[in-house]
Amino acid sequence: MNLLKDPFISTTVGKVSLKDILTSNQDYQLQYFFDETQLAMLQMLSSLSTVLLRPAASELNVYLANGLSPEQYDVLLEKVDSQWFEDDRFMRLSFPSKAKVADGPITKLVSGIECGGSANALGLFSESNEVSVCCPDCTHVLNYNLHMNIKGECFGPTGATGIRGGGSISTLVAGKNLKSTILLNTVSVDYFKEQAQLDDDAENRVMWDLPPTSDIYSAPKIGLERGLFALAYHVDFKVDDTQCTCAICGNTADQSVTTFQRVKFNGAYGSTKKGRDNGAGWWLHPYTPRNIKDDGVYAMCARDQHWQSWQELTAFVIGKETDKTTTKPAFIVNQFQNKLEVDDSLNLLVGGNIADQGSIAGRVYDLYSMPSSLSKNNSRISLVINAGLVQKEKLSLAFNKIFGVGYDKNFVGGIKNQAMQKFTSNAQQIIQQILLDVDRKEAAVLRKEAIEALNKEAKSIFKSVQRKYQHDLPLFKALVKGEFVLHKNE
């Protein structure tokens, strides 16, 4: 099986190939049980499309407007050294001699969930045996997910940090169907070269063809295709001749996989402290928003399990500056804004893990619709997000009054945390709805609606807490004082 030629992609109408998707007008829909796997598949298919098409921005616009014929696909495929995308080679390297090989169940490759006793990690699905077996076709997306999305700390001392960094947030552009989504996230090689500023002698061969050998992996030396599938592990999957129903895609298969083996690479990318300290530099991964600080560049990650993606939406779309950090949108968003001639609205897909050291405490998988004329309406998007952040801060200050009543700090902290989590979660839906009107409404009207809706939500949550503790006089009095803070400056 070859990833550029054969059917391995699970859809609601069965297994299809990349060629089927890119050359057909059929509305294929991915079929994977976990949003983590679905996100990884979108990333991997877009990266495979980049390898195949290698388009300049002008060519990518033609593909988006007119599609791709089967004959065009075949001509382009002839130009690719497709042997490296055979199923027994893709993103795989044999283990070094005398290396200590770590192994584990494929469960570890779903949302980075280790199979130990961590309550956080095991909370993402009910039983670990629900993800005990997969079909050989799904090993490729699980392998890609391991290298690009799963935080190395989830595997303890046998874990490696990949080219994107651990626990990175991904932002992708969602199209009207699967084909347009893949094309919208295909990288235009000329624009990438301009933005990434690679050395003239940057190596483009994939790492399972030419493995890196140095202790530090210098970003300017890593070409586009090499970086899109950059390895952090030597990996192997043991395939058994046993029929199974795949826990990843739901299809039945004549062969099954239950375990994988890994040995981490010795070298360091610029996503690690060792790499930063030794001048490796940050490789411009197309799907990764980044924070630029005095001591280096970092992938944007979810901060904690109470975090919601709307809080950083301005940074994902426009960028943001504070005294200590400059945030840059992912390359693929900049490409959409600056190089693609698309009249549709920007449908931004935000996804990733919420990591808590070696555990995964939650998942992010959100979709936002915004106007295509972003340069005209950037300020309006900021107004909506800022309204949410201001209201969140007011609600936080209002609840701070309960810390002065002499009760146990953990007790009152729990009251506040639960309420704040409810606000940030509910604000997600409010903001997603308001952003649909960014094109149609004036900035002042939009801001007013955002403030009113978010203020109403904050007051509702605060009132529910007041009612719950109305018979606890010290807490109730403190909450009455907090209510004044919530209504101040209205």
Side-chain angles (χ1 to χ4, degrees), residues 34 110-113 119-126 353-354 360-363:
F34 299 95
V110 180
S111 292
I113 300 173
N120 283 343
L122 293 180
L124 289 186
F125 58 81
S126 55
N353 290 322
I354 300 177
I360 302 301
R363 289 279 304 135

Side-chain angles (χ1 to χ4, degrees), residues 100-327:
K100 185 176 181 181
V101 179
D103 58 11
I106 62 157
T107 313
K108 287 177 174 282
L109 302 180
V110 180
S111 292
I113 300 173
E114 67 273 61
C115 302
S118 168
N120 283 343
L122 293 180
L124 289 186
F125 58 81
S126 55
E127 298 291 341
S128 60
N129 61 14
E130 291 182 17
V131 195
S132 60
V133 64
C134 75
C135 66
D137 286 348
C138 284
T139 59
H140 309 299
V141 69
L142 293 180
N143 188 10
Y144 179 92
N145 194 40
L146 169 67
H147 282 89
M148 294 296 165
N149 298 325
I150 291 178
K151 195 174 182 180
E153 285 184 22
C154 292
F155 300 107
T158 61
T161 299
I163 197 168
R164 298 182 67 202
S168 306
I169 288 293
S170 297
T171 54
L172 301 175
V173 180
K176 59 187 177 182
N177 53 36
L178 181 56
K179 176 169 71 174
S180 61
T181 296
I182 292 171
L183 289 173
L184 285 167
N185 294 290
T186 296
V187 179
S188 56
V189 294
D190 53 346
Y191 188 50
F192 183 84
K193 184 177 180 181
E194 173 190 323
Q195 296 295 308
Q197 300 179 336
L198 302 179
D199 290 351
D200 292 338
D201 62 346
E203 179 58 63
N204 208 33
R205 281 177 290 179
V206 292
M207 290 185 180
W208 56 102
D209 174 13
L210 182 70
T213 55
S214 61
D215 290 335
I216 301 297
Y217 305 149
S218 176
K221 301 290 185 186
I222 301 173
L224 175 57
E225 294 174 18
R226 189 172 176 83
L228 285 173
F229 299 101
L231 300 181
Y233 298 89
H234 304 262
V235 170
D236 194 22
F237 293 85
K238 184 177 181 295
V239 179
D240 297 318
D241 291 323
T242 306
Q243 192 177 63
C244 77
T245 299
C246 179
I248 305 301
C249 67
N251 289 284
T252 57
D254 293 332
Q255 294 179 308
S256 60
V257 178
T258 58
T259 60
F260 75 107
Q261 296 177 303
R262 67 191 181 278
V263 174
K264 67 179 180 179
F265 276 27
N266 292 323
Y269 292 102
S271 57
T272 66
K273 185 178 187 306
K274 180 180 176 182
R276 286 191 297 272
D277 290 348
N278 287 274
W282 173 265
W283 194 79
L284 185 68
H285 197 284
Y287 313 132
T288 314
R290 60 204 185 278
N291 290 319
I292 302 171
K293 303 180 180 181
D294 290 341
D295 62 342
V297 183
Y298 298 78
M300 282 196 72
C301 301
R303 289 193 298 273
D304 55 51
Q305 65 192 87
H306 305 309
W307 181 85
Q308 297 286 337
S309 62
W310 68 263
Q311 296 173 95
E312 296 291 349
L313 189 58
T314 300
F316 294 150
V317 177
I318 306 166
K320 187 172 67 176
E321 281 199 38
T322 65
D323 292 340
K324 296 181 179 180
T325 306
T326 298
T327 303

Side-chain angles (χ1 to χ4, degrees), residues 8 46 62 86-87 96 103 149 220 236 288 333 353 373 383 413 445 478:
F8 76 98
S46 299
V62 172
E86 293 290 335
D87 58 354
D103 58 11
N149 298 325
D236 194 22
T288 314
V333 175
N353 290 322
S373 52
L383 284 174
V445 174

Side-chain angles (χ1 to χ4, degrees), residues 39 44 46 53 63 71 90 259 264 274 314 380 384:
L39 179 68
M44 189 176 82
S46 299
L53 302 179
Y63 293 136
E71 293 75 21
F90 177 69
T259 60
K264 67 179 180 179
K274 180 180 176 182
T314 300
R380 299 184 188 183
V384 174

